[in-house]
Amino acid sequence: MLTKRPRGTNDFLPEDTAKWQYLENMLRGICRQFGYAELRTPIFEETALFLRGVGDTTDIVQKEMYTFEDAGGRSLTLRPENTASAVRAYVENKLFAGQQPVRLFYMGPMFRYERPQAGRFRQFHQFGVECFGAASPAADAEVIALAWEFYRRLGLQGLEMNLNSVGCPNCRPAYRQALQDFLRPHLAELCPTCQERFEKNPLRILDCKNPQCQQFLQGAPTTLDALCDDCREHFAAVQDYLQAAAIPYRLNTKLVRGLDYYTNTAFEILLSDIGAQSAVCGGGRYNGLVEELGGKPAPGVGFALGMERVFSALNAQEIELPAAPGIDVFVAVLDKQAQTQAFQLACELRSQGLAVGYDTLERSLKAQLKYADSQKVAYVLLVGGDELTRGSVALRDMQSSEQIELPLPEVGAVLTARLLK
Ligand code: ATP
Ligand code: MG
C-alpha cells in the first residue's frame, strides 16, 4: 500500500530545507541583535490551554484544532499557535520573577484543521516573538521593528503594515456598546457568523470578509475614536517610534482582535503578491493574557509570521536565496586496494573541519570525477597508485586542472589554507 502524506502537509526536500535553514538562521541573527532568546515548548498541550489562551469564540478553537485523547484519557491538542504556550511557560517556569522584560522567540510547526489552499496548510510553520513584562509603547515598537527588519533584509517589496489600537478594559466596554448600538438595526442582515459574534465578540464583526457586513459597517464608530487618554497616548507613542525607525504603516481601523485580553496595539503585515492569503504577519499587545492563564498580571506583546507565506512571496518576487555551501573536497579512490585508506583520509579531514565527499558506490575513477564535477567541488584528492605507495596523494585543483603531490599528513593543513584564501 502506498501511503501519501496527510492533506495540507508538505515534505521539504533537501533543496527546500537549505532555504528554510537560511531563513531560520537569518531570523536567529535578527533575534540575537534584538536580544530575543529561543523558547521551545511542547508540540502538544492540554486542550484547556488553548480554550482559554486562544479563546473559545475564535475560528481556531471553534473549528481548527487537532484535539485528541491520549491513552491516559487526557485531552491534548496539537498547538495551533505558540503564544498561549509561551505564556504558560512564562508563568510555569516563573520567568516573571527574573529580569524583565523577558524577550522570547520561537519557530516551528503549528497545526490547524483548515481547508488547504495556496498559503494555507494544516501543518504550517510560524516564527514569532513575545516580550513579557514591558507595558511601554517602546516594546510594541520593538517587536514591530523586529518583524519589519526581517522583511526588509529579504528585500521583499510591496509590504503593507496595518496598525490599529483596540483600547483596554477601561475604554473598550463603551466602544463595544457603541458598536452594538450602531449595528443593532441591521443585526438580522449580518452574516450568521457576525450574528453570533454580536453578543460575544462584536469587535470581530469589523474584520468580517463578507461584503454585506462591510456595507453595514460604513460610518461605524472606530476603536480609535473611543480610546481613553492612556491608550491614546500609548498609541501616539508607538507611532512616534515607528516614524523614528522609518517603518511605514497605515492606520486600519478594521484591524481587530476581538478578545478581552488583547489591548492597545494590533498590527498585521500584508503582501498582495501572494494572492488571497495575504497576511504574512500578525501581532499585538495582550496585557490581559498572562492573568487569563493563571499568572500574576503581566503585560505582553508579540507577533507570529507564517514561514510558508514568506516563501510564496519570495517566489512571487523571484528573490533567490543563496544556495547551501557544498563540499570542500572530494576523495576519489583510484583502485580497490586504496579504498580503506581513502575512507580513513576522508574521516580524518572531516575531523579537521572540512566538508568531504566520498564515493560509496565503488564507481570507476571517471564516474567519481564526473560526480565531483557535478557537485562543483574545488578540489579532488586522488588516493591510490604509486603516490599512495610513497605515502602521499594527488591534490587536483578542479578549476585549473593543476595537480600536486602531497604527503598524507600534510593534506589537511594544505587544503585548509587553500580554502581559506
Ligand atoms: P488568516 O486570516 O490568514 O487565517 P490568522 O489570523 O489565522 O490568519 P494568525 O493566527 O495571526 O493568522 O497567525 C499568524 C500568521 O501565520 C498569519 O499571518 C499567516 O502568515 C500564518 N498562518 C496562519 N494560518 C496559516 C495556515 N493555515 N497556513 C499557513 N500559514 C498560516
Ligand atoms: Mg486563520
Side-chain angles (χ1 to χ4, degrees):
M1 188 189 70
L2 182 65
T3 309
K4 294 196 168 161
R5 59 176 189 265
R7 212 166 119 68
T9 65
N10 289 300
D11 292 319
F12 299 108
L13 304 179
E15 62 187 86
D16 307 316
T17 51
K19 295 179 182 166
W20 279 79
Q21 286 173 11
Y22 181 82
L23 288 198
E24 287 160 3
N25 287 336
M26 180 185 275
L27 287 163
R28 285 197 182 94
I30 293 172
C31 284
R32 195 187 64 77
Q33 290 180 288
F34 278 77
Y36 283 69
E38 186 173 4
L39 169 73
R40 296 190 191 185
T41 58
I43 298 283
F44 56 82
E45 296 269 5
E46 284 185 23
T47 302
L49 175 70
F50 302 118
L51 299 184
R52 280 198 90 81
V54 178
D56 54 13
T57 59
T58 58
D59 286 353
I60 292 182
V61 168
Q62 285 186 345
K63 47 188 191 213
E64 298 174 359
M65 294 210 302
Y66 279 94
T67 297
F68 60 97
E69 197 173 284
D70 75 0
R74 299 169 195 88
S75 179
L76 299 173
T77 295
L78 300 185
R79 62 183 189 193
E81 54 99 64
N82 217 149
T83 300
S85 305
V87 172
R88 180 198 50 67
Y90 175 75
V91 175
E92 187 169 344
N93 298 288
K94 301 191 172 51
L95 300 183
F96 53 80
Q99 188 80 36
Q100 303 297 301
V102 174
R103 295 181 169 97
L104 303 170
F105 79 87
Y106 59 81
M107 51 182 141
M110 308 294 156
F111 306 85
R112 296 185 193 178
Y113 187 76
E114 300 202 69
R115 192 167 70 76
Q117 52 196 293
R120 198 172 284 288
F121 304 95
R122 291 182 173 170
Q123 173 170 339
F124 64 101
H125 297 76
Q126 282 185 340
F127 163 84
V129 310
E130 315 291 353
C131 174
F132 293 106
S136 80
D140 309 42
E142 178 177 280
V143 301
I144 294 174
L146 195 160
W148 192 254
E149 177 60 18
F150 174 54
Y151 295 110
R152 192 196 65 76
R153 222 171 265 197
L154 287 173
L156 285 169
Q157 303 292 317
L159 291 161
E160 189 183 274
M161 168 83 71
N162 283 264
L163 191 68
N164 196 17
S165 172
V166 296
C168 72
N170 287 332
C171 49
R172 203 161 32 221
Y175 174 70
R176 206 182 130 103
Q177 187 66 52
L179 182 63
Q180 282 175 326
D181 292 346
F182 181 86
L183 287 171
R184 191 166 284 112
H186 305 292
L187 182 51
E189 295 154 280
L190 296 176
C191 76
T193 320
C194 285
Q195 292 190 21
E196 244 176 73
R197 286 169 176 158
F198 186 81
E199 285 304 331
K200 285 196 202 153
N201 206 350
L203 269 70
R204 279 296 311 278
I205 298 176
L206 292 170
D207 77 345
C208 180
K209 305 284 178 287
N210 184 313
Q212 188 164 338
C213 295
Q214 280 304 322
Q215 213 180 319
F216 293 125
L217 283 164
Q218 273 176 28
T222 69
T223 52
L224 293 185
D225 298 331
L227 296 182
C228 60
D229 288 347
D230 283 354
C231 287
R232 194 183 308 278
E233 246 173 60
H234 184 100
F235 194 48
V238 171
Q239 294 180 67
D240 285 346
Y241 284 123
L242 295 184
Q243 281 161 25
I247 298 173
Y249 62 88
R250 74 176 199 99
L251 295 183
N252 176 355
T253 54
K254 298 279 170 62
L255 176 65
V256 286
R257 324 229 131 200
L259 300 166
D260 287 348
Y261 40 73
Y262 289 112
T263 53
N264 302 101
T265 314
F267 73 98
E268 193 163 62
I269 302 177
L270 303 179
L271 227 177
S272 50
D273 288 29
I274 54 173
Q277 314 313 326
S278 59
V280 289
C281 177
R285 182 166 275 289
Y286 49 82
N287 287 352
L289 187 55
V290 175
E291 190 178 15
E292 178 76 23
L293 290 176
K296 273 196 308 202
V301 59
F303 69 78
L305 65 82
M307 296 291 283
E308 282 82 356
R309 292 190 194 174
V310 173
F311 280 109
S312 304
L314 290 171
N315 287 338
Q317 299 189 12
E318 294 175 10
I319 296 175
E320 283 285 332
L321 299 178
I327 49 176
D328 299 320
V329 59
F330 185 84
V331 173
V333 189
L334 293 185
D335 45 64
K336 221 171 164 50
Q337 298 89 292
Q339 269 170 357
T340 319
Q341 267 179 291
F343 185 83
Q344 187 186 23
L345 177 62
C347 292
E348 174 63 33
L349 294 175
R350 288 184 187 127
S351 71
Q352 292 178 33
L354 295 168
V356 185
Y358 174 82
D359 178 43
T360 44
L361 290 173
E362 304 189 0
R363 281 181 289 203
S364 71
L365 179 63
K366 197 169 158 220
Q368 291 180 64
L369 291 176
K370 202 170 152 200
Y371 171 79
D373 220 30
S374 76
Q375 298 299 296
K376 302 193 174 59
V377 178
Y379 296 101
V380 171
L381 287 165
L382 301 154
V383 185
D386 292 344
E387 275 106 339
L388 194 58
T389 333
R390 291 195 290 272
S392 57
V393 293
L395 171 65
R396 182 183 293 182
D397 181 325
M398 293 298 273
Q399 214 164 24
S400 63
S401 294
E402 175 213 2
Q403 200 162 306
I404 55 168
E405 187 172 334
L406 282 178
L408 274 167
E410 288 174 27
V411 174
V414 171
L415 265 175
T416 307
R418 286 197 176 205
L419 288 164
L420 278 177
K421 268 200 275 182

